[in-house]
Amino acid sequence: AITVTDKDNDQIRLDAGSFTVKIEDDIPAQATATVVANVDEDELTNGITDGDLELTTQSGSIAGLASVGADQPGTFAFDLTGVTLPVLASGGAAVSYAVVGGTLIAYTGANPATVANQVFTVSLTSGGAYTVTLLKPVDHPTDSPINDDQDLTIDLSGAITVTDKDNDQIRLDAG
């Protein structure tokens, strides 16, 4: 309770709610940065290597895609709840997505844990470090030019959440 005292020591107590302090919570915020991981089908088994230094794996960090603010540390994770990821095919078979042990797996067939079904994987640490591993070719649109520079961009942003220390969470927007 707060007591107010005048010069000759008369006192009153302030009513509850007379003096309050509001502390506004901060939440993670998405940055304007983007991250692109390049992997190359040319380097798969039976691929025709083109010497462009792109491989079937690439590692990096997405930590710069969000600022956690004062509630450090923040964590990055995959969460497919309510998310629609790009429609893909590999060898004509539909690609599905699953998160297994913190790794996003794009796969054909019934079981994402079967390595022979996996098309690509993206591992993600809580600190934002990632590794993309391409395991099989992805079918490219037939209306694209047929050449070795046919890039297919797969936006996985919406499958990534950023959570701060007091559990405020955002989902990354499509980049």
mmCIF file of all heavy atoms in Angstrom, residues 68-93:
data_model
loop_
_atom_site.group_PDB
_atom_site.id
_atom_site.type_symbol
_atom_site.label_atom_id
_atom_site.label_comp_id
_atom_site.label_asym_id
_atom_site.label_seq_id
_atom_site.Cartn_x
_atom_site.Cartn_y
_atom_site.Cartn_z
ATOM 1 N N VAL A 68 14.230 -11.681 -31.406
ATOM 2 C CA VAL A 68 13.477 -12.196 -30.268
ATOM 3 C C VAL A 68 13.160 -11.090 -29.274
ATOM 4 O O VAL A 68 12.175 -11.165 -28.544
ATOM 5 C CB VAL A 68 14.249 -13.355 -29.597
ATOM 6 C CG1 VAL A 68 13.524 -13.864 -28.380
ATOM 7 C CG2 VAL A 68 14.455 -14.479 -30.599
ATOM 8 N N GLY A 69 13.941 -10.058 -29.222
ATOM 9 C CA GLY A 69 13.695 -8.962 -28.290
ATOM 10 C C GLY A 69 14.301 -9.248 -26.933
ATOM 11 O O GLY A 69 15.304 -9.948 -26.805
ATOM 12 N N ALA A 70 13.679 -8.729 -25.886
ATOM 13 C CA ALA A 70 14.238 -8.811 -24.530
ATOM 14 C C ALA A 70 14.120 -10.196 -23.909
ATOM 15 O O ALA A 70 14.887 -10.541 -23.018
ATOM 16 C CB ALA A 70 13.541 -7.794 -23.625
ATOM 17 N N ASP A 71 13.162 -10.991 -24.374
ATOM 18 C CA ASP A 71 12.921 -12.296 -23.760
ATOM 19 C C ASP A 71 13.825 -13.363 -24.370
ATOM 20 O O ASP A 71 13.374 -14.304 -25.008
ATOM 21 C CB ASP A 71 11.441 -12.686 -23.915
ATOM 22 C CG ASP A 71 10.518 -11.729 -23.199
ATOM 23 O OD1 ASP A 71 10.899 -11.233 -22.127
ATOM 24 O OD2 ASP A 71 9.414 -11.476 -23.704
ATOM 25 N N GLN A 72 15.110 -13.200 -24.158
ATOM 26 C CA GLN A 72 16.127 -14.101 -24.702
ATOM 27 C C GLN A 72 16.223 -15.360 -23.852
ATOM 28 O O GLN A 72 15.966 -15.297 -22.658
ATOM 29 C CB GLN A 72 17.490 -13.401 -24.707
ATOM 30 C CG GLN A 72 17.558 -12.186 -25.582
ATOM 31 C CD GLN A 72 17.733 -12.522 -27.043
ATOM 32 O OE1 GLN A 72 18.228 -13.580 -27.399
ATOM 33 N NE2 GLN A 72 17.299 -11.633 -27.906
ATOM 34 N N PRO A 73 16.635 -16.483 -24.380
ATOM 35 C CA PRO A 73 16.902 -16.714 -25.796
ATOM 36 C C PRO A 73 15.632 -17.129 -26.530
ATOM 37 O O PRO A 73 14.654 -17.560 -25.925
ATOM 38 C CB PRO A 73 17.900 -17.865 -25.772
ATOM 39 C CG PRO A 73 17.493 -18.677 -24.585
ATOM 40 C CD PRO A 73 17.000 -17.664 -23.574
ATOM 41 N N GLY A 74 15.678 -17.028 -27.830
ATOM 42 C CA GLY A 74 14.578 -17.490 -28.661
ATOM 43 C C GLY A 74 14.910 -18.840 -29.257
ATOM 44 O O GLY A 74 16.074 -19.257 -29.266
ATOM 45 N N THR A 75 13.892 -19.529 -29.727
ATOM 46 C CA THR A 75 14.109 -20.824 -30.367
ATOM 47 C C THR A 75 13.370 -20.878 -31.698
ATOM 48 O O THR A 75 12.294 -20.298 -31.850
ATOM 49 C CB THR A 75 13.635 -21.993 -29.478
ATOM 50 O OG1 THR A 75 12.248 -21.830 -29.188
ATOM 51 C CG2 THR A 75 14.423 -22.059 -28.188
ATOM 52 N N PHE A 76 13.967 -21.571 -32.620
ATOM 53 C CA PHE A 76 13.378 -21.815 -33.931
ATOM 54 C C PHE A 76 12.950 -23.271 -33.984
ATOM 55 O O PHE A 76 13.636 -24.148 -33.447
ATOM 56 C CB PHE A 76 14.411 -21.554 -35.042
ATOM 57 C CG PHE A 76 14.771 -20.108 -35.194
ATOM 58 C CD1 PHE A 76 15.703 -19.511 -34.344
ATOM 59 C CD2 PHE A 76 14.187 -19.332 -36.180
ATOM 60 C CE1 PHE A 76 16.035 -18.173 -34.473
ATOM 61 C CE2 PHE A 76 14.511 -17.990 -36.317
ATOM 62 C CZ PHE A 76 15.448 -17.419 -35.464
ATOM 63 N N ALA A 77 11.830 -23.538 -34.657
ATOM 64 C CA ALA A 77 11.360 -24.918 -34.778
ATOM 65 C C ALA A 77 10.425 -25.027 -35.976
ATOM 66 O O ALA A 77 9.858 -24.038 -36.441
ATOM 67 C CB ALA A 77 10.625 -25.350 -33.509
ATOM 68 N N PHE A 78 10.280 -26.256 -36.466
ATOM 69 C CA PHE A 78 9.277 -26.539 -37.486
ATOM 70 C C PHE A 78 7.959 -26.876 -36.801
ATOM 71 O O PHE A 78 7.931 -27.580 -35.799
ATOM 72 C CB PHE A 78 9.696 -27.729 -38.361
ATOM 73 C CG PHE A 78 10.770 -27.398 -39.349
ATOM 74 C CD1 PHE A 78 12.012 -27.988 -39.258
ATOM 75 C CD2 PHE A 78 10.540 -26.509 -40.388
ATOM 76 C CE1 PHE A 78 13.010 -27.697 -40.168
ATOM 77 C CE2 PHE A 78 11.525 -26.201 -41.300
ATOM 78 C CZ PHE A 78 12.762 -26.808 -41.192
ATOM 79 N N ASP A 79 6.865 -26.370 -37.373
ATOM 80 C CA ASP A 79 5.523 -26.704 -36.895
ATOM 81 C C ASP A 79 4.602 -26.673 -38.116
ATOM 82 O O ASP A 79 4.405 -25.622 -38.714
ATOM 83 C CB ASP A 79 5.056 -25.700 -35.843
ATOM 84 C CG ASP A 79 3.657 -25.976 -35.334
ATOM 85 O OD1 ASP A 79 3.043 -26.993 -35.727
ATOM 86 O OD2 ASP A 79 3.158 -25.161 -34.545
ATOM 87 N N LEU A 80 4.071 -27.827 -38.478
ATOM 88 C CA LEU A 80 3.230 -27.923 -39.674
ATOM 89 C C LEU A 80 1.747 -27.723 -39.381
ATOM 90 O O LEU A 80 0.925 -27.800 -40.296
ATOM 91 C CB LEU A 80 3.446 -29.284 -40.347
ATOM 92 C CG LEU A 80 4.872 -29.570 -40.816
ATOM 93 C CD1 LEU A 80 4.948 -30.910 -41.529
ATOM 94 C CD2 LEU A 80 5.404 -28.461 -41.705
ATOM 95 N N THR A 81 1.399 -27.425 -38.138
ATOM 96 C CA THR A 81 0.003 -27.249 -37.761
ATOM 97 C C THR A 81 -0.635 -26.127 -38.571
ATOM 98 O O THR A 81 -0.199 -24.978 -38.516
ATOM 99 C CB THR A 81 -0.116 -26.926 -36.255
ATOM 100 O OG1 THR A 81 0.555 -27.934 -35.514
ATOM 101 C CG2 THR A 81 -1.569 -26.850 -35.831
ATOM 102 N N GLY A 82 -1.648 -26.460 -39.346
ATOM 103 C CA GLY A 82 -2.377 -25.465 -40.119
ATOM 104 C C GLY A 82 -1.613 -24.866 -41.282
ATOM 105 O O GLY A 82 -2.026 -23.850 -41.834
ATOM 106 N N VAL A 83 -0.510 -25.479 -41.670
ATOM 107 C CA VAL A 83 0.341 -24.931 -42.728
ATOM 108 C C VAL A 83 0.149 -25.735 -44.013
ATOM 109 O O VAL A 83 0.099 -26.961 -43.985
ATOM 110 C CB VAL A 83 1.833 -24.994 -42.309
ATOM 111 C CG1 VAL A 83 2.743 -24.584 -43.442
ATOM 112 C CG2 VAL A 83 2.063 -24.124 -41.095
ATOM 113 N N THR A 84 0.054 -25.029 -45.125
ATOM 114 C CA THR A 84 0.037 -25.687 -46.430
ATOM 115 C C THR A 84 1.360 -25.389 -47.106
ATOM 116 O O THR A 84 1.664 -24.233 -47.408
ATOM 117 C CB THR A 84 -1.128 -25.158 -47.296
ATOM 118 O OG1 THR A 84 -2.357 -25.398 -46.604
ATOM 119 C CG2 THR A 84 -1.153 -25.853 -48.637
ATOM 120 N N LEU A 85 2.142 -26.421 -47.300
ATOM 121 C CA LEU A 85 3.434 -26.260 -47.971
ATOM 122 C C LEU A 85 3.256 -26.488 -49.472
ATOM 123 O O LEU A 85 2.243 -27.050 -49.908
ATOM 124 C CB LEU A 85 4.452 -27.223 -47.369
ATOM 125 C CG LEU A 85 4.873 -26.863 -45.942
ATOM 126 C CD1 LEU A 85 5.825 -27.911 -45.373
ATOM 127 C CD2 LEU A 85 5.529 -25.494 -45.892
ATOM 128 N N PRO A 86 4.244 -26.085 -50.274
ATOM 129 C CA PRO A 86 4.107 -26.185 -51.726
ATOM 130 C C PRO A 86 3.808 -27.609 -52.203
ATOM 131 O O PRO A 86 4.332 -28.584 -51.671
ATOM 132 C CB PRO A 86 5.478 -25.723 -52.238
ATOM 133 C CG PRO A 86 6.017 -24.866 -51.142
ATOM 134 C CD PRO A 86 5.507 -25.473 -49.871
ATOM 135 N N VAL A 87 2.952 -27.685 -53.221
ATOM 136 C CA VAL A 87 2.639 -28.970 -53.848
ATOM 137 C C VAL A 87 3.806 -29.330 -54.760
ATOM 138 O O VAL A 87 4.161 -28.564 -55.662
ATOM 139 C CB VAL A 87 1.322 -28.873 -54.651
ATOM 140 C CG1 VAL A 87 1.058 -30.166 -55.399
ATOM 141 C CG2 VAL A 87 0.163 -28.525 -53.725
ATOM 142 N N LEU A 88 4.400 -30.481 -54.483
ATOM 143 C CA LEU A 88 5.555 -30.949 -55.252
ATOM 144 C C LEU A 88 5.355 -32.400 -55.653
ATOM 145 O O LEU A 88 4.524 -33.111 -55.081
ATOM 146 C CB LEU A 88 6.839 -30.845 -54.425
ATOM 147 C CG LEU A 88 7.267 -29.474 -53.929
ATOM 148 C CD1 LEU A 88 8.479 -29.609 -53.014
ATOM 149 C CD2 LEU A 88 7.588 -28.569 -55.106
ATOM 150 N N ALA A 89 6.176 -32.826 -56.600
ATOM 151 C CA ALA A 89 6.240 -34.235 -56.981
ATOM 152 C C ALA A 89 7.696 -34.597 -57.209
ATOM 153 O O ALA A 89 8.538 -33.738 -57.506
ATOM 154 C CB ALA A 89 5.409 -34.495 -58.235
ATOM 155 N N SER A 90 7.982 -35.876 -57.078
ATOM 156 C CA SER A 90 9.311 -36.399 -57.368
ATOM 157 C C SER A 90 9.120 -37.704 -58.125
ATOM 158 O O SER A 90 8.480 -38.624 -57.611
ATOM 159 C CB SER A 90 10.094 -36.645 -56.071
ATOM 160 O OG SER A 90 11.362 -37.216 -56.356
ATOM 161 N N GLY A 91 9.620 -37.752 -59.351
ATOM 162 C CA GLY A 91 9.411 -38.939 -60.182
ATOM 163 C C GLY A 91 7.942 -39.194 -60.433
ATOM 164 O O GLY A 91 7.516 -40.334 -60.580
ATOM 165 N N GLY A 92 7.133 -38.135 -60.462
ATOM 166 C CA GLY A 92 5.701 -38.250 -60.692
ATOM 167 C C GLY A 92 4.893 -38.564 -59.449
ATOM 168 O O GLY A 92 3.669 -38.519 -59.477
ATOM 169 N N ALA A 93 5.543 -38.873 -58.336
ATOM 170 C CA ALA A 93 4.844 -39.203 -57.088
ATOM 171 C C ALA A 93 4.673 -37.948 -56.239
ATOM 172 O O ALA A 93 5.590 -37.132 -56.118
ATOM 173 C CB ALA A 93 5.616 -40.257 -56.309
#
